Amino acid sequence: MFYLLKVLIERQIHTLDRPFSYACLTELNPKKGERVIVSFNKKQTIGFIIDDPELIQQDIKEFNKGKTFETLFIDKLIDNSPVLTDEMFELADKVAKYYHSTLISIYKTMLPPSLKPASSFKNKPKEAFVKMITFKKDDDGSLSKLELKALNKIKEKGSVKFTGFGMKKTVAVLLAKGFIEIVDVKVNRLAEYEKKEYVEKKLSEEQLNAYNTIVSKDKKVFLLEGVTGSGKTEVFFKLTEYYRSIGKGVLILEPEIALTSRLVTIFKSKFKDDVAVIHSGETAANLYDEHLRIASGKANIVIGARSAIFAPVNNLGLIILDEEHVGSYKQENEPYFHARTVAIMRSEMLGAKLVLASATPSLETKARAEKKVYEQLYLTKRFTGYALPKVEIIDMANIKNLDTDSIIISIPLRKAIAETIAKNKQAILFINRRGYAPVYSCRKCGKIFKCPNCDVPLTYHKEDNKIKCHHCDYELSAADLKCENCGSEVFSNTGFGTERIVDEVRRLFPMARIARLDSDIASRKKEFNMTLFGFENHDYDILIGTQMIAKGHDFKDVELAVSLMADKSLSIPNYKANEDTFDLLTQLIGRAGRFSNNGKAIIQTYMPENEIINFSANQDYEQFYKFEMHNRKVFQYPPYTFLAIITISGTDSDELETFCYKVKGYLTAELKNARVNIYGPSFPYIKKVNNRYYRKLMLKYKSHQEVEQVFNNLFNLEGKDIKISLDIDPVSDC
Ligand code: ADP
Ligand code: ZN
Ligand code: ZN
């Protein structure tokens, strides 16, 4: 007698993404949803039991008699209770079917790192630590007034949490002089968020209307369109209160980690340990604990980023997707899911309500609301009461605006920065490129340095005097570089990145305190936090950075927000370029004067007449929506069609080319009766990465059903060297 198990093994390959049979001793009592270790092709592999075990009355020898494949016993049963529930299985099936992704990749996404198959061999997650500032020695007369004040505060308490303590610059000085220490302290992992008290507010008429409609209407999906500062969070809060009072779970998603922490603070102050947090910024230990608390029903309000949409919340009654339009809700590798699409599936499956919230909804969502598929709700009034910033569009092609002293800072901009600093206010300068200069070339023969792996120009980074590829980790020291063509050792820098803007602004404003934020700095967590806190604290006058400075932040002294080269993001060959630019500029403008009536934004561009730039300058979403929907219709892009991108890669460029035509031939023949257009093969934005060549095919189609079977069979064409990936509803087609 034994149990026959259906096991899905950990191989992220479409052809192996199906159950294999294994046997298990009856006394182990295996259950659906538990993990096992099995031998597959003589190698130990982790797998999931994906169906209820079947009790076989024979013994294994008898059972295997005459069969072509011998059923083996599993090597080990890892869990003693399921890590995946029936609800998770059902959701994974739906998601895999829609995205044509492997089931195993979805199970992996659903679980915290320490429960993912690959890490299960190692078991136990690590303990969590928190950084604490501790007192070391008393003032020896060398400290300033401010430093002494900070030191006394620390001494008084013995130790304080680093993240919760202000005065970061002062702390840095005290640390450098040896008056304090920063130590890692093991913590009770769960209650680690600062205590900020939530103040109960009476909902406005608009808020109350939104709340009542969501709670009482039969419709399942709602679009809550509310300008920034209109109190969307307050509505989320009251909704959460309601659904908890009727015993239902609540899931709230934010597109970025930084935005979750704001919500967590407010929600924890009221709902305490009923709140769990899930996002990739948390430690593996925390994620593991939170997963268990959610699954066991100890925490019923989950706040998190993209993957949290899969959190095993019990009796889920409400899902909220804040800033639903943001692209980071889409995962850009296998499984290529969009949290919004999964949210729709999950709410349908459970009959839960779904609230999509945004000041600038995605065209897809807005179009569905206009068609009454979703119920539309508006919040139009701002609680903050301050006027929107004045926006000035500067024509960089007009010589009148150009400063002889700088090619990137125009005369009106220079003046505006000077005025801002003179008033002791702050400015943020946005440019969507990190490094010093995006093109590095030989001054003698003009040869441009390119990445040998990816075939894209290398960016010069002054910080470490290197030229680097932004797509792989290729880099060269610029110190002893010689041109391969002509042997010259003189090079030139073309274009602007964040580092170069810092130099430029420093040259023009030598007295200003300047900080920089981009992903180079974000990779050094301490420096990133120091910079962000420092700027919030007004230790700096000017912040220069990439999109990470444009979104979400609530800098109270910022009165000037600047886009240095607005055209850059409009010229990206992506069908969403207009939408992304509108969102980015609208957000950026929204950073200025959040707490004053003197906010000002400056947009430097070579296209001052451009509609998108003007719509965002006027913060006019409705006009933007009409304009862009017209474009999408003319060019037959979503929401008028569905889009899929098939990326095909291989190490041999010629073989790949031939193969792509084979795939196209297959699609054309199989889809001859479907409403579909097939484009390509063409070069993706990045043609070559790490010595693999890439090509893509794009499909626009009218019905998922018509293409479903053909997409499923696509992966059977994959060869040893040739890989196919399929991205349904891509957020970029370049
Ligand atoms: P949003 O998320 O829509 O940008 P928030 O929820 O952050 O806006 O609200 C903006 C500000 O308005 C906050 O400071 C909040 O405390 C305040 N606020 C929200 N609702 C109310 C209310 N009903 N009465 C008073 N103040 C409110
Ligand atoms: Zn040269
Ligand atoms: Zn590269």
Side-chain angles (χ1 to χ4, degrees):
M1 214 162 65
F2 66 94
Y3 276 118
L4 188 64
L5 308 179
K6 286 202 170 115
V7 175
L8 192 82
I9 54 156
E10 195 210 2
R11 290 288 156 79
Q12 217 156 296
I13 303 171
H14 278 82
T15 47
L16 292 181
D17 196 53
R18 57 188 176 83
F20 292 92
S21 290
Y22 284 90
C24 177
L25 298 173
T26 47
E27 58 266 33
L28 288 177
N29 189 25
K31 291 177 285 299
K32 180 181 175 186
E34 293 176 347
R35 293 164 306 154
V36 291
I37 296 177
V38 297
S39 299
F40 186 81
N41 281 342
K42 304 208 167 71
K43 256 182 84 180
Q44 279 206 326
T45 306
I46 302 263
F48 288 89
I49 306 173
I50 62 164
D51 214 335
D52 287 326
E54 186 189 346
L55 191 63
I56 305 289
Q57 299 291 351
Q58 293 167 304
D59 86 15
I60 188 86
K61 275 208 190 102
E62 243 175 286
F63 180 82
N64 278 329
K65 215 175 269 169
K67 299 227 165 79
T68 9
F69 290 103
E70 185 191 5
T71 296
L72 302 172
F73 272 101
I74 61 164
D75 295 349
K76 192 183 167 192
L77 181 66
I78 299 174
D79 305 304
N80 43 34
S81 65
V83 295
L84 288 170
T85 61
D86 282 350
E87 190 189 319
M88 295 293 106
F89 277 118
E90 194 185 337
L91 183 61
D93 279 346
K94 284 191 170 29
V95 176
K97 181 162 183 272
Y98 182 85
Y99 286 106
H100 302 272
S101 48
T102 55
L103 271 170
I104 192 78
S105 69
I106 296 168
Y107 296 159
K108 282 172 151 181
T109 311
M110 287 176 158
L111 294 171
S114 46
L115 287 181
K116 287 190 205 305
S119 50
S120 303
F121 284 111
K122 296 186 215 102
N123 261 335
K124 281 261 163 78
K126 286 202 298 269
E127 298 282 347
F129 291 91
V130 108
K131 290 213 178 308
M132 300 292 285
I133 307 172
T134 58
F135 175 80
K136 230 174 125 187
K137 61 175 189 193
D138 269 315
D139 180 24
D140 53 10
S142 72
L143 295 183
S144 75
K145 231 175 167 177
L146 197 67
E147 287 158 3
L148 186 62
K149 196 173 140 205
L151 185 64
N152 283 337
K153 217 162 152 186
I154 295 163
K155 187 181 177 186
E156 202 178 292
K157 298 199 171 154
S159 67
V160 292
K161 226 168 77 195
F162 178 72
T163 44
F165 197 72
M167 304 193 277
K168 294 294 173 208
K169 216 176 164 184
T170 315
V171 168
V173 174
L174 291 173
L175 188 64
K177 291 184 180 170
F179 290 96
I180 54 170
E181 244 179 342
I182 293 186
V183 289
D184 287 325
V185 177
K186 214 197 274 189
V187 288
N188 159 19
R189 293 175 196 160
L190 301 176
E192 265 321 310
Y193 283 88
E194 290 164 75
K195 309 256 177 312
K196 240 186 226 163
E197 283 309 310
Y198 166 72
V199 187
E200 191 89 32
K201 291 176 199 72
K202 196 168 164 287
L203 291 187
S204 69
E205 217 176 286
E206 278 184 335
Q207 286 172 320
L208 197 62
N209 174 53
Y211 168 87
N212 282 332
T213 313
I214 292 164
V215 165
S216 61
K217 226 181 177 144
D218 253 353
K219 270 242 164 66
K220 285 287 165 312
V221 185
F222 301 84
L223 167 59
L224 182 61
E225 188 179 333
V227 294
T228 46
S230 61
K232 290 186 286 292
T233 317
E234 205 60 36
V235 177
F236 301 165
F237 198 87
K238 290 286 193 323
L239 284 171
T240 302
E241 223 168 15
Y242 171 76
Y243 282 94
R244 287 305 297 131
S245 77
I246 59 166
K248 299 253 180 184
V250 177
L251 183 51
I252 308 175
L253 299 191
E254 291 284 349
E256 275 148 51
I257 297 174
L259 297 173
T260 57
S261 51
R262 196 191 103 215
L263 273 190
V264 170
T265 308
I266 306 175
F267 277 69
K268 282 237 171 187
S269 85
K270 167 90 187 187
F271 301 105
K272 311 280 189 278
D273 282 350
D274 202 18
V275 179
V277 189
I278 293 195
H279 58 61
S280 56
E282 294 284 332
T283 61
N286 272 340
L287 289 171
Y288 177 72
D289 281 2
E290 295 292 72
H291 184 86
L292 295 187
R293 288 201 317 122
I294 298 163
S296 64
K298 289 196 182 97
N300 299 286
I301 301 167
V302 175
I303 301 177
R306 185 175 60 219
S307 302
I309 189 57
F310 293 111
V313 184
N314 285 218
N315 199 12
L316 187 61
L318 172 71
I319 306 173
I320 295 170
L321 228 83
D322 194 18
E323 311 280 358
E324 66 85 30
H325 64 282
V326 175
S328 55
Y329 277 128
K330 179 77 198 293
Q331 179 150 303
E332 299 207 76
N333 47 44
E334 168 92 4
Y336 290 87
F337 71 94
H338 196 299
R340 190 205 304 130
T341 307
V342 179
I344 293 168
M345 291 173 181
R346 199 168 176 189
S347 79
E348 246 168 34
M349 201 175 105
L350 302 172
K353 297 282 170 92
L354 170 62
V355 176
L356 305 173
S358 175
T360 54
S362 64
L363 295 189
E364 289 91 329
T365 299
K366 180 74 177 176
R368 285 191 195 167
E370 299 267 287
K371 276 174 124 183
K372 309 269 186 260
V373 181
Y374 304 156
E375 176 89 20
Q376 177 133 2
L377 300 162
Y378 295 95
L379 297 179
T380 56
K381 295 188 194 72
R382 259 165 227 272
F383 281 97
T384 43
Y386 296 112
L388 278 171
K390 283 193 228 31
V391 185
E392 209 178 314
I393 298 171
I394 309 289
D395 182 1
M396 294 300 276
N398 185 344
I399 196 143
K400 219 174 72 220
N401 288 326
L402 301 188
D403 195 324
T404 46
D405 205 19
S406 171
I407 51 172
I408 188 79
I409 309 286
S410 64
I411 294 172
L413 175 56
R414 189 171 177 172
K415 192 162 154 259
I417 295 176
E419 282 170 7
T420 306
I421 304 177
K423 281 192 292 182
N424 196 25
K425 294 294 175 187
Q426 293 173 292
I428 56 175
L429 272 53
F430 159 74
I431 186 153
N432 60 353
R433 179 77 81 162
R434 67 192 161 93
Y436 188 82
V439 180
Y440 198 70
S441 56
C442 171
R443 194 167 278 184
K444 211 161 145 204
C445 74
K447 180 192 145 74
I448 292 173
F449 283 80
K450 285 187 174 180
C451 174
N453 306 326
C454 312
D455 202 32
V456 294
L458 296 170
T459 299
Y460 176 61
H461 286 245
K462 195 175 179 186
E463 191 168 68
D464 42 12
N465 197 29
K466 281 180 177 160
I467 49 176
K468 299 181 186 177
C469 174
H470 283 188
H471 302 285
C472 72
D473 55 9
Y474 182 81
E475 55 178 45
L476 283 175
S477 164
D480 36 34
L481 208 59
K482 263 201 179 94
C483 173
E484 283 170 22
N485 264 2
C486 68
S488 157
E489 289 173 23
V490 213
F491 305 101
S492 59
N493 277 310
T494 320
F496 284 87
T498 46
E499 287 182 355
R500 190 171 192 175
I501 302 292
V502 170
D503 277 7
E504 188 77 354
V505 174
R506 190 164 280 149
R507 186 172 65 78
L508 299 175
F509 302 97
M511 301 301 283
R513 297 166 300 167
I514 299 164
R516 171 170 71 97
L517 268 191
D518 52 31
S519 55
D520 290 325
I521 291 189
S523 68
R524 303 186 290 265
K525 213 169 168 185
K526 201 163 159 186
E527 193 180 342
F528 176 80
N529 282 332
M530 288 286 215
T531 310
L532 197 58
F533 283 127
F535 191 69
E536 267 169 17
N537 225 14
H538 205 147
D539 296 339
Y540 302 102
D541 304 304
I542 301 171
L543 180 65
I544 293 161
T546 51
Q547 41 261 37
M548 64 179 73
I549 66 167
K551 292 191 171 185
H553 305 292
D554 233 357
F555 302 125
K556 60 182 188 315
D557 283 346
V558 170
E559 287 202 347
L560 178 65
V562 180
S563 169
L564 290 164
M565 290 200 282
D567 314 352
K568 269 272 153 10
S569 75
L570 283 170
S571 59
I572 293 172
N574 175 12
Y575 81 101
K576 271 189 182 289
N578 280 350
E579 195 176 348
D580 291 346
T581 306
F582 177 79
D583 174 41
L584 186 67
L585 290 179
T586 309
Q587 286 278 344
L588 180 73
I589 293 166
R591 289 317 106 204
R594 290 174 81 74
F595 297 92
S596 87
N597 284 322
N598 302 319
K600 182 171 180 163
I602 288 185
I603 300 173
Q604 296 193 149
T605 171
Y606 287 97
M607 305 186 283
E609 307 295 328
N610 179 279
E611 290 89 348
I612 301 301
I613 291 177
N614 283 279
F615 293 145
S616 49
N618 299 329
Q619 303 261 311
D620 191 343
Y621 175 79
E622 293 301 322
Q623 286 300 321
F624 159 76
Y625 174 74
K626 284 204 191 100
F627 175 86
E628 192 55 17
M629 281 297 273
H630 177 73
N631 282 340
R632 299 284 178 89
K633 189 169 183 183
V634 171
F635 297 104
Q636 283 295 295
Y637 269 110
Y640 292 96
T641 57
F642 294 107
L643 212 58
I645 288 195
I646 300 170
T647 306
I648 307 170
S649 70
T651 54
D652 183 312
S653 170
D654 293 338
E655 232 171 76
L656 176 65
E657 196 70 24
T658 317
F659 183 79
C660 288
Y661 281 101
K662 188 173 142 196
V663 175
K664 184 166 184 175
Y666 162 80
L667 293 170
T668 313
E670 296 289 318
L671 293 171
K672 62 178 183 297
N673 296 322
R675 289 163 298 163
V676 56
N677 285 320
I678 306 169
Y679 306 84
S682 62
F683 291 104
Y685 197 46
I686 307 301
K687 304 188 265 295
K688 186 182 166 201
V689 180
N690 279 329
N691 292 314
R692 277 189 86 78
Y693 295 88
Y694 288 80
R695 296 285 187 283
K696 68 168 196 212
L697 293 166
M698 181 168 77
L699 288 90
K700 291 177 184 168
Y701 54 98
K702 285 286 189 185
S703 143
H704 286 302
Q705 236 166 13
E706 292 175 3
V707 299
E708 196 175 343
Q709 202 47 49
V710 178
F711 280 178
N712 274 339
N713 295 337
L714 186 63
F715 297 98
N716 295 333
L717 300 175
E718 268 187 333
K720 225 189 183 130
D721 178 54
I722 304 259
K723 292 272 168 291
I724 296 177
S725 75
L726 172 60
D727 187 355
I728 305 286
D729 306 336
V731 286
S732 160
D733 65 335
C734 66

